[in-house]
Amino acid sequence: MLIRHVVEEGVLHVALLHDLDIPSRAAAALHIETLLFTHHPHHVRIQLPTSDPSPASVSVLARARRMCERLAIPLTVGGPATPRPSRSPTAA
């Protein structure tokens, strides 16, 4: 699996599960394109898996941006999810 997605209140949330390589680039881009035409979201949010994505991941992001622009859908991009610091039982 290359991406994970969920649609909430008209927003398509897409997460690349790992940095892409050249063979997986086309499949991920096609999957995102299919999601756009299937769900007709009013906003798209893409989460990249690393703070320094591979050229293939950047290529998929660029293709998604072009698709969203053609469809007049705003696109937001975020970096990797940061883990929340654990709270110790003694912390107030």
Side-chain angles (χ1 to χ4, degrees), residues 12-71:
L12 173 62
H13 299 269
V14 176
L16 297 179
L17 297 179
H18 53 81
D19 226 5
L20 301 174
D21 55 12
I22 297 301
S24 61
R25 176 182 62 184
L30 181 60
H31 193 166
I32 292 169
E33 182 177 6
T34 301
L35 292 170
L36 288 172
F37 288 112
T38 300
H39 297 289
H40 304 286
H42 65 76
H43 190 95
V44 175
R45 299 187 74 203
I46 297 180
Q47 181 179 351
L48 296 173
T50 66
S51 58
D52 186 23
S54 68
S57 293
V58 173
S59 175
V60 166
L61 178 61
R63 186 166 172 187
R65 182 187 59 81
R66 288 191 303 272
M67 285 186 273
C68 287
E69 282 180 351
R70 279 189 295 237
L71 297 170

